[in-house]
Amino acid sequence: MKNIAYYEGRTSLIDEMMIPANDRAFYFGDGIYEAATVYNHKIFALDDHLDRMFNSAAIVNIKLPYTREEYAAILKDLVKQVDHEIQFLYWQVSRASAPRGHAFPGDAKPTLYVYSKPLEKVEMKDDYHLISVPDTRYFHCNCKTLNLIVNVMAADQAKSCGCQEVVFIRDGLVTEGSHSNIHIIKEGKLITHPLDNLILPGTERKHILRYCDQLGIPYEERAFSLDELKAADEIVISSTSQPFMRAISVDGQPAGGKDPEICEKIRSCYWAEVADLYE
């Protein structure tokens, strides 16, 4: 198939999939989601994504009906049916399909929606441009829910300014981007916001820290200011489909771009793991 969609046991092409209007994802954004890259019909870092999925479900009190192994089996089967070497895999679990009402329905049965489509390439660019915006989101950013309107509005603001991503600022400190984690490198050390309720625990963030351990690169998990970001040797943006992007400007001023060697070392660890999926 050229792409595939799945909803509660039914499969079709993405554009042909029908989902009930009573699904609470439609009414309230009442659900959680994950996204992963697929190489050679193998899902990259699937265990990490399932860990985060089950954690998100626990935070919002969605009682997942399947085991990790059952979810993994569904996802692995679906990506094998798409005729493309590299894919973008997305899945979400809503609380239920039930008549609209704010309180959780008593007989809630979570629904699973999945799609996978061809992805031309995974990007690692060196020319990202950023703008800083106030972080007006709520206090559960560590949960990967469907409630992303502030992120969407911020991403569109960045696009209208000719930038690729925003830098959310809360109480004077950098939290993350609209769809990514943000890190800095200063004097050979990587600095990243600690895991708390203000940022998403990104899977690529986790891998970057693991790569630093492998390479002997020191790192520190602490909040940093916008001024620190602008004065950093490197500004790194990480997400599933863009695992390690380098920024070269913030708010229209040049920034970063001073330590490409350390960046290439970390990137090489990612590509080495991708190569393992072809063996």
Side-chain angles (χ1 to χ4, degrees):
M1 300 178 70
K2 63 180 182 180
N3 62 55
I4 194 167
Y6 169 103
Y7 183 82
E8 288 300 286
R10 294 183 286 109
T11 59
S12 71
L13 294 176
I14 294 172
D15 289 342
E16 297 173 0
M17 177 53 67
M18 303 294 289
I19 298 175
N22 271 341
D23 195 301
R24 287 175 64 92
F26 175 68
Y27 283 135
F28 300 115
D30 187 2
I32 58 173
Y33 77 100
E34 283 294 328
T37 46
V38 179
Y39 295 95
N40 193 29
H41 296 95
K42 298 174 183 176
I43 304 169
F44 186 79
L46 178 57
D47 285 342
D48 292 328
H49 287 288
L50 290 175
D51 284 344
R52 187 170 61 185
M53 170 186 167
F54 273 77
N55 183 65
S56 294
I59 292 173
V60 298
N61 198 26
I62 291 178
K63 295 177 173 57
L64 296 173
Y66 304 135
T67 65
R68 287 172 56 96
E69 292 73 23
E70 289 170 327
Y71 279 113
I74 292 171
L75 298 171
K76 290 177 181 179
D77 177 66
L78 291 172
V79 300
K80 290 177 181 177
Q81 299 180 50
V82 178
D83 301 325
H84 204 274
E85 176 189 351
I86 306 176
Q87 301 170 43
F88 177 81
L89 173 66
Y90 172 93
W91 69 98
Q92 68 180 42
V93 178
S94 77
R95 190 174 306 280
S97 180
R100 189 178 189 278
H102 283 68
F104 301 163
D107 56 350
K109 180 184 181 300
T111 66
L112 174 64
Y113 169 59
V114 186
Y115 74 76
S116 195
K117 64 180 182 179
L119 182 65
E120 291 306 315
K121 62 179 179 178
V122 171
E123 294 185 317
M124 294 218 195
K125 292 183 177 180
D126 298 321
D127 58 354
Y128 246 42
H129 299 274
L130 311 175
I131 61 168
S132 59
V133 301
D135 191 346
T136 61
R137 300 172 300 166
Y138 61 173
F139 289 96
H140 298 288
C141 300
N142 56 321
C143 181
K144 200 169 177 70
T145 75
L146 304 175
N147 300 280
L148 296 173
I149 187 61
V150 177
N151 301 62
V152 169
M153 292 171 65
D156 190 67
Q157 181 180 348
K159 181 180 178 181
S160 69
C161 294
C163 297
Q164 289 76 40
E165 180 58 299
V166 304
V167 180
F168 278 132
I169 308 296
R170 193 189 295 252
D171 297 328
L173 299 174
V174 172
T175 51
E176 57 186 350
S178 67
H179 54 275
S180 63
N181 290 123
I182 297 179
H183 329 273
I184 59 175
I185 297 173
K186 186 69 174 180
E187 298 177 351
K189 177 191 289 187
L190 185 136
I191 303 170
T192 188
H193 196 287
L195 292 182
D196 57 20
N197 64 308
L198 300 181
I199 72 163
L200 183 74
T203 57
E204 293 312 319
R205 176 192 180 279
K206 177 180 179 180
H207 297 161
I208 286 172
L209 297 188
R210 181 164 53 82
Y211 300 151
C212 285
D213 281 334
Q214 293 175 14
L215 296 165
I217 297 171
Y219 63 83
E220 184 177 1
E221 296 181 80
R222 68 166 176 84
F224 50 89
S225 68
L226 180 59
D227 286 342
E228 285 183 276
L229 178 87
K230 292 179 177 180
D233 296 331
E234 291 286 346
I235 302 170
V236 176
I237 314 299
S238 66
S239 66
T240 291
S241 59
Q242 299 176 327
F244 198 100
M245 313 292 275
R246 297 169 64 212
I248 59 171
S249 79
V250 181
D251 293 333
Q253 299 298 316
K258 300 182 182 70
D259 196 346
E261 291 185 6
I262 195 170
C263 294
E264 285 306 313
K265 288 179 181 178
I266 297 172
R267 283 175 170 176
S268 67
C269 292
Y270 175 89
W271 290 122
E273 293 192 341
V274 170
D276 289 342
L277 299 179
Y278 288 85
E279 294 182 352

